[in-house]
Amino acid sequence: MRTGLHGRGALFDTEPPGLAPRLVGLRPFQHGPSPYEHTRDLPFVVFAGARGLGKSAVLAELRAAYEGRTPVALIDCEAERFARCPAGHPQASWSPVAQALVAIAWQLAEPVADAGRIPFPRLATGLLAVAAGGWNDRDVPRARREAERILLLNDTGSWGGAHTGRRVGRVTDRLTDPLTGSPSGTRSGKDSGTGCGTGTGTGPVVEPVVEAILEAFSEGVSPTHRRLRKAATWYRDHPNAGGNPKLGLLLLAGHFRAGGAPRTRAEGHLVRALLADLDDAYGGALPRGSRPGRPVVLLDNAQAAPGTGLIGAVLRDRADGIADRVAFFAGLRGHGHPALRNAARGTLSGLARSSGWEPGGTASSRALLVPLPPLSPDDTPRVVEAACRGLAVPSRLPRAAHRLTAGNPLGTALLAESARRNLPRGAVTPGDLLTAHLDRDDGDRPAYRELLDHLVPDGYRDGRRDALALLAVAHDRASACVLAEALLPAGFGTAGVLALEARLAEEGLPAVPGRFVGDPLLRALLLLELHRREPDHTTWRAAHHTLVAHYTDAQGVQDVPDAIDPPGTADAPDCDGTRHALYRLHHELALGTTEPAVSYLRDTFHHRPPAQWLSALAFLASAPYRPAVAPEVPGVPDGRTQVALGRAGTGPRPPDDVDTVLHLRVRRLLHGVWQVTDPLALPDPVVTERLRSELEHLSRLRPADAEPLRRASRHWPQDASAGRPLRV
């Protein structure tokens, strides 16, 4: 792959061919052919997942792989031009799908390799009929511009620009004559119903414009006129047209103006027109050999309006037996959509040699939904090392980067960029790199803010993003509501919490027990932003103090219906009390108060099953670490290391009536696990090795059920060094 897109070989490999060459019929970045996996029925491939998993990067790589070799179109369905009708343009003749079809056709029309420009006469004819529904005698210049732009979709590039311009100008004059001189033009703006008794609701100017289209396209003997005549007669097969192309175009325009389900049908017919034009280019008068492979259409952010409309139209036609020659790929935020309810599902690794896809009986079964996985622990170091060539990269940084990002490709790429810029300035840890600046041309801001701008959905920005950062402290809906009640404006409340919770699910972010924000990278970034919101960290401290008080009051209460147990505590006696105690201690740790957590782990060591005790230890050690004094310079010594290694002056004396050896060992172990699993820190290798001996010693104190502790003594140092979650 040209751009170093890691972990996506199943899509782009050439030997054996990955999914893209098997569907397109061409080798990526080459002119050589590739065997087709599907000769007639093609899957509509939809890459799914949350933000930052590389959907846009994959689609951009597909465009780069085939640009100039076969017709390629890429649109971002969330682009502003598809979001709303332009000012001054009638809503009745505009839709995101129609606008997207124009953008796609313009890109597909470009000449590639040895093949000329592709014309789109059917699409142009239908778009003109639809556009005429918004024309009137008060804005003739706009109507002329619109007509000229649509007519140019039929240009093959075989004539000089001046000749093409004159021809388009003559046809435009004929199409807009009804606006300037005909009786119908004087009635524009009054809806007369049909124009030919069809009951479709077409405007008064549509019928004369359609007549002008058919007349202009029927004259002449040039190849252009023959194409236009063929395109116009194609509409005689429109449902209920009875073989009359004029009636077919009037029905199309009327359905589009009607909105709702009729407009959806009209948009489907326009999509079919574009695909029929492409079919002509590949299988009509032009020899097939001059256009190897298949055209490629790429839809980014397909969950937005034009994307869902285009996907639905293509899937319905394919289910109805109307085949096309296009390789469609889309990126979908989240993990599903009603239009994809019965889509086949595959894993990226499973697509390496065969998609295994077979069409079913429903339209949505014509899609192949492929969740994009995160980068592997082996991929992340490659990204960091590739970005930092020539620099001395700390040996522990690539694995620590994977622990922070959980393999999120966008997070990995931005962290690697920060490393390239800031390692020479002394930044070493992931936390240093996140708070360091990227020095972009569009502004100098910390890397974590750049990442949040990409990962936090638009609806969360401004005040909502601030609210989400606060709620990232919470464990579940109940504790999120407590924070909202105490620290957010009065109008936010439970309704705001539920709205954010629903939006997180819609975005495809994981639900994780014990976390209101389940995605580990997003949660780490939000907590970092919350801590840095004020110089004195007022909101950070207030959030944790609020939940300490909440769980102190709630401890032992059994009526919290949606509380979620930390891993390993669900089967414990006094489940709610255990859960509330752990949550309270978690927030005390975040505030820098460590001895209550040490005492809890010491006192429960002999009374909890070892696996449950280890799970509680790991959960407590996941508390965010923010030292009381944190100068904004890299390289500040980590106080947890001193405690984990048992050095002098690292904590108060244990109480006289407890097992001092156990107390000190638990304190060292807690601080050690806290340090080596911190996503913003580099795991200290001496502390990592010390975990082994501490856990081995603890296992000897539980000879009857020591195996979980012995396994942890082997696995936890390995997991910490590799950037993996600790195995319990």
Side-chain angles (χ1 to χ4, degrees), residues 313-667:
V314 173
L315 295 181
R316 285 191 297 272
D317 272 2
R318 288 181 174 182
D320 289 341
I322 304 173
D324 61 77
R325 303 175 188 271
V326 180
F328 281 97
F329 299 89
L332 179 77
R333 192 177 308 133
H335 294 289
H337 187 275
L340 302 171
R341 184 174 294 107
N342 299 314
R345 294 176 182 265
T347 62
L348 188 63
S349 59
L351 301 175
R353 296 179 181 272
S354 172
S355 68
W357 174 84
E358 292 291 340
T362 63
S364 60
S365 71
R366 301 282 167 152
L368 174 61
L369 196 65
V370 183
L372 285 185
L375 300 179
S376 73
D378 293 327
D379 291 324
T380 301
R382 295 189 188 107
V383 176
V384 175
E385 290 159 6
C388 298
R389 285 194 181 95
L391 297 177
V393 178
S395 60
R396 291 168 286 153
L397 179 59
R399 299 295 183 184
H402 185 79
R403 179 178 57 195
L404 168 66
T405 64
N408 181 289
L410 178 63
T412 303
L414 275 175
L415 200 69
E417 180 186 348
S418 182
R420 177 174 60 82
R421 292 176 178 272
N422 294 298
L423 281 176
R425 304 172 184 175
V428 176
T429 69
D432 295 339
L433 298 176
L434 285 177
T435 55
H437 288 228
L438 291 176
D439 302 333
R440 294 281 181 87
D441 293 337
D442 59 349
D444 182 16
R445 53 184 172 166
Y448 77 89
R449 286 187 182 162
E450 176 91 8
L451 255 177
L452 279 173
D453 285 346
H454 288 286
L455 295 177
V456 174
D458 293 340
Y460 293 167
R461 293 196 175 155
D462 303 322
R464 290 279 173 162
R465 175 155 135 182
D466 289 346
L468 188 63
L470 176 69
L471 299 185
V473 177
H475 301 284
D476 47 40
R477 184 188 304 162
S479 55
C481 289
V482 169
L483 288 173
E485 180 71 24
L487 300 173
L488 289 176
F492 192 88
T494 301
V497 171
L498 293 174
L500 287 181
E501 187 178 57
R503 188 65 183 271
L504 290 169
E506 290 170 5
E507 292 283 324
L509 293 168
V512 175
R515 304 287 188 224
F516 182 79
V517 177
D519 182 79
L521 174 60
L522 179 58
R523 182 173 182 271
L525 295 171
L526 289 168
L527 292 177
L528 182 59
E529 182 170 71
L530 181 68
H531 186 260
R532 292 168 62 86
R533 184 178 296 177
E534 305 104 352
D536 59 355
H537 319 301
T538 301
T539 306
W540 166 272
R541 293 201 312 273
H544 289 288
H545 279 302
T546 297
L547 291 187
V548 167
H550 167 66
Y551 287 117
T552 300
D553 294 341
Q555 192 161 339
V557 176
Q558 304 292 320
D559 60 352
V560 184
D562 61 347
I564 300 174
D565 299 321
T569 65
D571 297 328
D574 188 23
C575 181
D576 282 331
T578 299
R579 179 172 58 249
H580 294 155
L582 288 174
Y583 286 164
R584 174 176 54 79
L585 295 169
H586 176 96
H587 295 290
E588 290 179 344
L589 271 172
L591 291 166
T593 304
T594 61
E595 287 306 295
V598 173
S599 298
Y600 175 88
L601 291 170
R602 178 201 68 215
D603 293 342
T604 58
F605 177 72
H606 289 290
H607 307 291
R608 300 288 191 200
Q612 191 179 102
W613 186 85
L614 287 167
S615 183
L617 167 63
F619 175 76
L620 290 175
S622 69
Y625 174 70
R626 302 291 184 269
V629 178
E632 295 300 326
V633 294
V636 177
D638 193 326
R640 294 168 298 184
T641 301
Q642 302 296 314
V643 180
L645 298 179
R647 292 173 181 164
T650 55
R653 288 177 53 84
D656 294 335
D657 58 345
V658 303
D659 184 338
T660 300
V661 173
L662 177 60
H663 182 94
L664 295 177
R665 196 175 299 285
V666 167
R667 180 194 287 166

Side-chain angles (χ1 to χ4, degrees), residues 116-142:
R117 186 178 180 86
I118 295 177
F120 290 92
R122 293 173 182 82
L123 178 62
T125 304
L127 288 172
L128 284 170
V130 166
W135 293 350
N136 59 65
D137 57 2
R138 295 184 298 277
D139 196 0
V140 176
R142 179 184 62 79

